[in-house]
Amino acid sequence: MTESILEHFDISYNEFIDTIDILEKLELAEIKFEHVKIPEQNLATFFFYKAFIKDNLLSFNTLLTNYFVNYQSRFTDSIIPANNTFGPQNVMEKLKPELINHWHLIKNDFNKSYAFLKTFWFYLQEQTLEFVYNHINELPKATESKYDTSYETNAFNYDKDKIIELLGNFFRLNGNSLKDSIEIAFEYVDRLPEKLPELIHKIRELLIFDRDDERYGFYRQKTLFTFLIDGVNKGSKLLSTSFFELSKTFLSYKFQQFKGGRNNSFIHYQYPIPNNSIIQEFRSKIWDTLDDNFTSNPNLAFDLLKYYTKVHPDVNKEIMEFDIPFVLNIIDSHLRIDSFEHCRYVQDQIRWFKRHKFNLPEFSNFTNRFVNETYLTFLKIDWNRFRDKEMYKFDDFREYERLKEAEIRNSFILNSIEEVDKFYDTFILLKNSAENNWNYNNALDFVIDENSTRDFKIGLALLNKIIENNNEAKYVPRSVFRNQLRTEDKVNEIWKIIQSNKFESKELWELSFYDYIDDSLINQEFSELLVKTINKMNNPNTIHFDRLERFLNVEPNLFQIILRIITEKNEKENTRLQVWMDFFSKHFDSLGNDIELIKKAYIQQYLIQNHFDYEGKGFLEILKIDVNFLLEFVEHLYTATDRHSIGGDHSDMSFVWNIENIEETLIQVFDLIIEKDLYIGILEHYCNVFFRNPREEDQKKRADDFIRQYVNENNTNYKKMQIIVDIVRHSRKELFEEILLLFISLNQDREIFGRLSWISSGGTYSGDTIIGDVRASEWRNILSIVEKANLGYKVLPIKTYLNERIESCLQSGDMERQRKFLRKDFLIATA
C-alpha cells in the first residue's frame, strides 16, 4: 500500500523513510507497531495544508483522482479543518478549480456525483443545487395530490433519502442558497409526495430556532415561512399542508437542540426564543395566515389550534401573552358553538391560559358561550381529575372516582327509547373523539346499571342498542351483571338479549354473565352453557376461574372439562385461549385425575404465555404426582423452539429440590439437553435454572451434593462437565474453586480441561479497557487455584495450557493497543 501511494506521488521509498525518521526525532510523528501517524489533529491539518495547498508539494488532483472513492471521510476530515483553520482564501480558492474540473469529469454519473457533492457541497453550492434540480426534472409529475405529514419516531434514522439529505446541508446556511434549497426541496416532494414526511422531519431537525440564529435576525426561519406563507396565499395544497404542520413546531417556546461536538461528543440543550420584535413579527405572520386561511383549510387550521393548546412545561409567559389576542380573535371569527370539538378546544385553551395566571375579561365570555349539550355530557363522562378539580373537591384519587361515579349515575337517568338512542349516539361520538378513552366504558357500565336498577326495561334497551351496533364500543358489562343478575326473571331477560344476535365480544359477555350470576341461580343448565361458550371461542382470550368455582357445586368435573376444551382448541385451531397464571397452583385440586391432560395443558400454556406460573407452584404440584414431568417439559421446549438451543432462559426452577429423589430425573434431563443442545458457551446454559435460587439450606445442600456427585461420575465427559462448569460460574459461584480442584484431582487430561469454559467468553467493557489484559487476569486466577492442588507433576500439562492461554491473551491485548493507536488521530502510512 505504501509503495502504491509513493508511486502515485513520485516519492522514493528511501527518501520517505528518512523523512519519517527526522519527523520522529522532532517529535512531529509517532512510530508504533510498524505504523506511523501524526499524533495531534491540528498538526495533521497543518501537514496536509502545507503539503497539498500552501507549498503545492503534492498534487491534490492525484489525491482526488486515486483516493476519493475509497477515502471520502478522510477528505472531509482533512479539507474542512484546513479551510476553517487557514481560511477559505488560502484553501478553497486554491482547491476549487480542481474540484470543478473533477466535477465535470463525473457529473453524468449519479452515484459518483452524489458521493462527491456530499463531501464538497459547501464549496460547490451552485453545482450541487443544479445537480439536484436536473435530477428532479427527470422525475414524472405526481398523479395524486394527497399529502401526508405523519411519521413514526426514529423513522428516518437509517433509510434516508439522498436528495433530502443533500439539500438538508443548505438548511444550516444563512444566504441565497437557503431559499433555493427550500424551493427545490418542496419541488422534489411535489414530484414524490411520499417523501413529504421526511422533508418535514429534516426541517424540524435542522431549521428550528437556535441561539446562533439570533445574530442573523432569524433569517433561516423567516426565509422558510416567507416561502410557505406565499404558497398558502397562492392556494398550493402542498405548501398549505406543510405550513400548518410546521407551524405546530415553530409556534413553540423552546427548541431542543442535539448536535455533534468535538472528539465524537454530543451537545444537548434547550434554546428558549426571545420575546423580541423579530419573533413577534414572525409569530404574527403565522397567526394572521392561520386566520386568513381558516375557512379554506378548516381541518388543518383547527388541528394547529388544538396542537397549540397541548399541555407542556416549556411556556414563555411573555410570548404567550403576545399570542393570546390572536388566538381569541381566531376563536371568535371561526369557531362554532354548535361544534362539540370547538367547545372542547376553547374550554381547554382558556384553562391553559388561566393555568399560567392570565385572566382576561374576555375569557368568561368565551367559556360561557362555547358550551353545548354534547360538551356538558362530555364533562360528566370523561374522567380527568386535573380538569375536574375545578368542579369537585377531593383529597385523593379514590375519592374522586367515587364522586365521579355518583355524578354519572345521577346525570343520565333515561326515560324513553328516544333518550336511549340519543345518549348512545352521543356516547359513541365522545368515545371516538377522545384521546384517552380508557374509562369511557366504565362510565357506560354505570349508566346502564343505574338505569337497570330504576327501570329494568331501559337498562335492557341500552344493552340491546349496544348489541344491535355490534358492540362498536368494545364494552363488556361488569357492574350491570354484578348488580342485576340476582333474580330469575332478570337473568332470563339478560340471557335472552345476549343470545338475540351475534356481536363483537359476545363470548366475553357470556363469561361475565357466568362470573356475576347470583349463587342461588347457578344450575346444571348454566354449567353446560358455560362449556358451550368456551367451546365456541375463536379468538384469543384469558379465562379466569376464580368466580367459576361456584359452578363446581353442580358440576364437580367442570374445570377438567373446560381444560380439555381449551387444550384441544389451542392444539387443533391455534385459538390461543389462556388461563390465568396461577391456575395450576390455585385450582389444581379441581382439575381431576387425568394427569396426562394436566401436563399437556401446562406445557401448552407455558409456551403461549410470558411469565406463566412465574414461581413454579403449579409445576411443583404436577411434579409431586409425576416426577418424570420435568423430563417431558424440557423435551417439549426443544420440540417447540425454533432454535436448536434453549439456552439463555432466565426462569428459576430451583423448586425441583422440594421433590424427593429428583436427582435421577435431573440426570436424565442433563442427558437430554446434552443430546439436543448445541451449547457454545456464550449464554448461560439452560441447566442453570435448577440451581439459581434454592431457598432452604437443605435444598442448597442437595443441589451442591448433586453437583459434586455429577463431577465424580462424569469427569471424563467434557460435555457433561461443561454443564457443571457453567453452573458454578453463574449460579453456584461459591462452589467454583471447590469444583475446579475436585475436577483436576480426578482428571488431569489437558484436552478435556482445555475444552471447558473456565472463564467467560465475553462481557461488557468500556473506555480504554484492554480486553486481552482482562482475560489474561482471569486465566491467572484459574492458574492460582490449580496451584493449590497438591498433585505435583500430574497437573503440569494443565499449568502449561493455562500459561499458554495467559500469553495468548497478553498478545491479544497488544493487538488491541495497536488498533487503538491506529484508530486515533491521523495515520500517515504503513511502513
Side-chain angles (χ1 to χ4, degrees):
M1 178 180 179
T2 305
E3 291 178 351
S4 173
I5 295 172
L6 297 178
E7 183 179 347
H8 281 139
F9 290 99
D10 194 24
I11 300 172
S12 75
Y13 185 85
N14 291 333
E15 182 183 1
F16 177 67
I17 296 300
D18 291 343
T19 302
I20 288 176
D21 288 338
I22 296 172
L23 292 175
E24 185 189 27
K25 291 176 183 177
L26 294 172
E27 296 184 353
L28 297 177
E30 181 180 348
I31 298 176
K32 199 171 184 181
F33 305 112
E34 298 184 339
H35 293 78
V36 59
K37 72 173 183 178
I38 306 301
E40 204 278 321
Q41 182 65 44
N42 290 333
L43 188 60
T45 299
F46 171 71
F47 274 30
F48 173 82
Y49 169 67
K50 183 173 179 61
F52 285 98
I53 303 171
K54 185 175 185 298
D55 296 344
N56 200 27
L57 299 172
L58 300 174
S59 167
F60 180 74
N61 182 57
T62 299
L63 188 70
L64 197 62
T65 303
N66 292 286
Y67 297 100
F68 177 76
V69 172
N70 294 323
Y71 298 96
Q72 295 176 33
S73 61
R74 301 301 312 145
F75 278 79
T76 302
D77 294 342
S78 302
I79 295 175
I80 293 177
N83 185 73
N84 295 340
T85 302
F86 300 104
Q89 70 280 4
N90 293 319
V91 177
M92 290 316 303
E93 287 185 8
K94 293 185 177 182
L95 295 184
K96 191 170 182 179
E98 298 199 49
L99 293 176
I100 292 176
N101 288 338
H102 188 75
W103 162 247
H104 286 306
L105 295 176
I106 64 169
K107 66 180 183 179
N108 292 325
D109 186 315
F110 178 87
N111 291 326
K112 287 184 178 180
S113 297
Y114 176 79
F116 184 71
L117 295 174
K118 181 182 177 182
T119 301
F120 297 112
W121 68 270
F122 185 78
Y123 314 109
L124 302 173
Q125 293 185 26
E126 291 182 3
Q127 288 84 354
T128 302
L129 292 175
E130 181 187 11
F131 164 75
V132 175
Y133 178 75
N134 290 336
H135 174 71
I136 292 173
N137 279 339
E138 295 175 0
L139 299 175
K141 295 281 187 180
T143 55
E144 65 169 296
S145 58
K146 182 180 179 181
Y147 299 105
D148 179 26
T149 59
S150 60
Y151 53 85
E152 298 292 330
T153 304
N154 302 324
F156 309 112
N157 282 4
Y158 304 105
D159 186 18
K160 298 181 179 182
D161 183 87
K162 289 183 176 181
I163 298 300
I164 292 176
E165 285 298 299
L166 195 56
L167 290 173
N169 293 313
F170 292 85
F171 293 173
R172 299 182 175 92
L173 304 181
N174 285 280
N176 292 331
S177 294
L178 171 64
K179 183 175 183 295
D180 292 339
S181 67
I182 292 173
E183 291 182 4
I184 292 173
F186 277 97
E187 177 64 26
Y188 179 61
V189 299
D190 193 36
R191 303 287 180 103
L192 299 172
E194 68 274 11
K195 299 292 183 180
L196 179 58
E198 187 168 355
L199 177 59
I200 295 293
H201 177 271
K202 183 59 66 177
I203 289 173
R204 284 175 169 151
E205 178 186 10
L206 299 177
L207 265 168
I208 57 173
F209 291 97
D210 197 1
R211 55 194 177 197
D212 294 336
D213 290 309
E214 287 191 53
R215 289 187 298 163
Y216 301 98
F218 301 105
Y219 173 85
R220 298 188 308 136
Q221 294 75 28
K222 290 194 298 184
T223 299
L224 170 65
F225 271 81
T226 297
F227 171 72
L228 292 176
I229 290 171
D230 183 58
V232 174
N233 292 334
K234 291 178 179 178
S236 167
K237 187 174 181 180
L238 168 62
L239 297 183
S240 295
T241 303
S242 302
F243 164 80
F244 285 110
E245 181 62 24
L246 288 169
S247 294
K248 296 175 183 178
T249 299
F250 285 82
L251 281 176
S252 300
Y253 306 102
K254 291 183 180 179
F255 295 84
Q256 199 76 33
Q257 293 288 351
F258 191 78
K259 303 177 180 178
R262 292 179 179 269
N263 299 320
N264 297 318
S265 63
F266 293 97
I267 302 171
H268 187 218
Y269 63 91
Q270 276 194 333
Y271 170 68
I273 56 174
N275 183 33
N276 59 27
S277 59
I278 299 175
I279 291 296
Q280 289 183 358
E281 181 184 3
F282 178 84
R283 296 175 80 90
S284 295
K285 288 182 178 180
I286 292 180
W287 289 121
D288 288 341
T289 304
L290 172 60
D291 186 15
D292 294 341
N293 293 274
F294 200 104
T295 303
S296 56
N297 295 280
N299 294 331
L300 293 174
F302 185 56
D303 195 42
L304 171 56
L305 275 185
K306 289 190 294 183
Y307 192 88
Y308 178 76
T309 197
K310 283 184 178 294
V311 175
H312 53 86
D314 302 324
V315 169
N316 182 316
K317 291 186 65 175
E318 293 180 351
I319 296 178
M320 177 179 275
E321 184 176 16
F322 174 80
D323 289 342
I324 288 176
F326 293 98
V327 175
L328 296 183
N329 175 62
I330 292 170
I331 291 173
D332 194 44
S333 302
H334 301 288
L335 302 193
R336 307 188 322 274
I337 297 171
D338 61 350
S339 167
F340 159 68
E341 289 284 354
H342 289 181
C343 289
R344 180 171 61 176
Y345 158 73
V346 171
Q347 299 291 343
D348 289 346
Q349 183 68 78
I350 299 300
R351 191 178 296 109
W352 181 230
F353 287 151
K354 287 182 176 181
R355 183 172 171 178
H356 292 282
K357 310 304 180 185
F358 294 106
N359 199 2
L360 278 63
E362 299 97 307
F363 287 175
S364 296
N365 175 40
F366 282 108
T367 54
N368 290 331
R369 280 172 54 201
F370 281 88
V371 176
N372 59 27
E373 187 176 351
T374 304
Y375 181 74
L376 293 176
T377 301
F378 159 77
L379 289 179
K380 295 167 185 175
I381 289 179
D382 186 74
W383 297 59
N384 186 327
R385 58 179 172 142
F386 298 106
R387 178 199 64 219
D388 292 349
K389 268 283 189 183
E390 301 172 10
M391 295 182 285
Y392 302 98
K393 293 182 179 179
F394 56 89
D395 296 322
D396 59 48
F397 189 56
R398 289 188 181 88
E399 184 181 2
Y400 166 70
E401 289 186 330
R402 290 192 294 270
L403 292 169
K404 190 71 177 178
E405 179 181 346
E407 184 196 33
I408 291 171
R409 286 182 175 276
N410 293 325
S411 298
F412 300 102
I413 309 303
L414 310 176
N415 298 304
S416 66
I417 298 301
E418 289 75 17
E419 291 183 11
V420 167
D421 293 343
K422 183 179 179 182
F423 168 80
Y424 176 82
D425 292 341
T426 303
F427 174 83
I428 293 299
L429 169 68
L430 295 177
K431 183 175 182 183
N432 290 342
S433 65
E435 292 185 8
N436 185 351
N437 61 20
W438 63 273
N439 239 325
Y440 272 61
N441 281 354
N442 280 346
L444 179 60
D445 205 37
F446 296 147
V447 171
I448 299 175
D449 182 42
E450 187 65 29
N451 279 278
S452 297
T453 301
R454 294 171 180 264
D455 185 341
F456 190 61
K457 290 183 179 180
I458 294 294
L460 291 179
L462 280 164
L463 291 174
N464 202 47
K465 184 72 175 178
I466 294 168
I467 291 171
E468 287 176 354
N469 287 276
N470 196 33
N471 193 17
E472 57 188 315
K474 294 180 172 55
Y475 161 73
V476 177
R478 306 291 184 197
S479 299
V480 183
F481 287 178
R482 182 188 301 112
N483 296 325
Q484 305 303 321
L485 295 176
R486 295 181 176 177
T487 67
E488 187 175 352
D489 289 343
K490 289 185 176 181
V491 164
N492 291 336
E493 288 277 6
I494 290 176
W495 183 256
K496 183 179 178 181
I497 284 184
I498 295 174
Q499 300 308 313
S500 64
N501 239 320
K502 290 184 179 180
F503 59 93
E504 181 77 21
S505 303
K506 179 176 180 178
E507 290 83 5
L508 296 182
W509 282 46
E510 292 179 2
L511 285 179
S512 182
F513 178 94
Y514 305 129
D515 281 345
Y516 294 116
I517 186 173
D518 191 83
D519 291 2
S520 63
L521 300 174
I522 294 175
N523 55 36
Q524 184 66 36
E525 181 183 359
F526 281 125
S527 175
E528 294 171 1
L529 289 171
L530 168 58
V531 172
K532 288 182 179 179
T533 295
I534 296 173
N535 210 6
K536 65 185 179 184
M537 285 185 169
N538 296 316
N539 298 314
N541 279 313
T542 299
I543 300 170
H544 300 265
F545 283 77
D546 289 357
R547 293 285 296 170
L548 300 181
E549 278 187 314
R550 303 173 302 148
F551 285 79
L552 295 176
N553 294 325
V554 298
E555 176 50 79
N557 296 322
L558 179 64
F559 283 11
Q560 181 179 3
I561 296 170
I562 293 176
L563 187 62
R564 188 179 303 280
I565 292 172
I566 292 173
T567 306
E568 289 179 356
K569 288 182 72 67
N570 286 339
E571 182 179 35
K572 297 176 181 179
E573 303 172 20
N574 195 28
T575 311
R576 298 184 68 84
L577 294 177
Q578 299 179 16
V579 299
W580 194 238
M581 62 181 66
D582 63 355
F583 171 77
F584 285 92
S585 57
K586 194 170 184 179
H587 303 292
F588 191 79
D589 292 339
S590 301
L591 299 183
N593 298 322
D594 190 345
I595 190 63
E596 296 303 319
L597 170 64
I598 294 172
K599 292 192 295 183
K600 183 177 182 180
Y602 184 96
I603 292 171
Q604 188 182 84
Q605 292 295 317
Y606 182 89
L607 295 173
I608 289 176
Q609 302 187 47
N610 291 325
H611 307 297
F612 174 74
D613 191 29
Y614 189 71
E615 295 181 348
K617 292 180 179 179
F619 198 114
L620 189 58
E621 292 293 334
I622 301 174
L623 280 182
K624 290 176 183 178
I625 296 175
D626 185 352
V627 71
N628 289 321
F629 177 61
L630 182 60
L631 184 62
E632 296 177 35
F633 175 80
V634 174
E635 193 163 19
H636 273 86
L637 291 187
Y638 280 103
T639 303
T641 184
D642 292 332
R643 307 182 304 275
H644 184 60
S645 171
I646 57 171
D649 189 288
H650 291 283
S651 59
D652 180 6
M653 298 179 69
S654 302
F655 56 80
V656 298
W657 300 107
N658 288 299
I659 303 298
E660 293 183 11
N661 302 319
I662 195 65
E663 287 83 356
E664 288 301 320
T665 304
L666 268 182
I667 290 172
Q668 296 178 55
V669 170
F670 278 32
D671 290 343
L672 171 67
I673 293 175
I674 289 170
E675 177 190 344
K676 294 182 176 291
D677 202 332
L678 183 64
Y679 177 67
I680 57 176
I682 296 177
L683 300 174
E684 290 185 21
H685 195 283
Y686 178 76
C687 287
N688 278 272
V689 299
F690 306 116
F691 299 89
R692 277 210 178 100
N693 189 28
R695 292 174 174 79
E696 304 295 332
E697 286 303 319
D698 64 324
Q699 295 175 11
K700 290 181 182 178
K701 185 177 184 305
R702 286 184 64 193
D704 294 347
D705 286 346
F706 175 87
I707 292 173
R708 297 183 185 101
Q709 186 63 29
Y710 200 83
V711 174
N712 280 311
E713 296 175 358
N714 301 285
N715 57 81
T716 60
N717 186 319
Y718 88 90
K719 288 186 177 181
K720 293 185 177 183
M721 279 305 305
Q722 186 70 287
I723 298 177
I724 298 300
V725 172
D726 196 82
I727 290 170
V728 296
R729 275 186 43 230
H730 293 107
S731 300
R732 303 297 298 148
K733 295 179 181 179
E734 55 268 46
L735 284 182
F736 181 82
E737 183 171 324
E738 176 189 342
I739 295 303
L740 173 53
L741 290 172
L742 175 61
F743 171 74
I744 62 174
S745 71
L746 299 169
N747 187 342
Q748 297 86 42
D749 188 297
R750 169 186 167 131
E751 182 180 354
I752 292 179
F753 185 91
R755 298 180 76 175
L756 301 177
S757 301
W758 294 106
I759 68 170
S760 63
S761 58
T764 302
Y765 306 95
S766 59
D768 294 325
T769 301
I770 302 299
I771 300 172
D773 291 352
V774 173
R775 297 176 70 77
S777 177
E778 292 175 347
W779 282 116
R780 286 194 190 100
N781 179 57
I782 301 298
L783 178 60
S784 69
I785 296 173
V786 170
E787 288 174 340
K788 294 178 183 180
N790 189 21
L791 296 173
Y793 68 88
K794 293 181 179 180
V795 291
L796 281 177
I798 291 177
K799 287 183 179 180
T800 301
Y801 167 79
L802 290 172
N803 282 312
E804 290 172 356
R805 296 305 305 147
I806 293 169
E807 182 61 28
S808 174
C809 290
L810 291 175
Q811 291 177 6
S812 176
D814 288 340
M815 293 179 65
E816 286 182 65
R817 275 181 279 273
Q818 176 179 333
R819 287 194 297 271
K820 290 178 184 288
F821 170 79
L822 296 178
R823 192 166 58 239
K824 293 180 179 178
D825 304 320
F826 189 77
L827 179 66
I828 290 290
T830 302

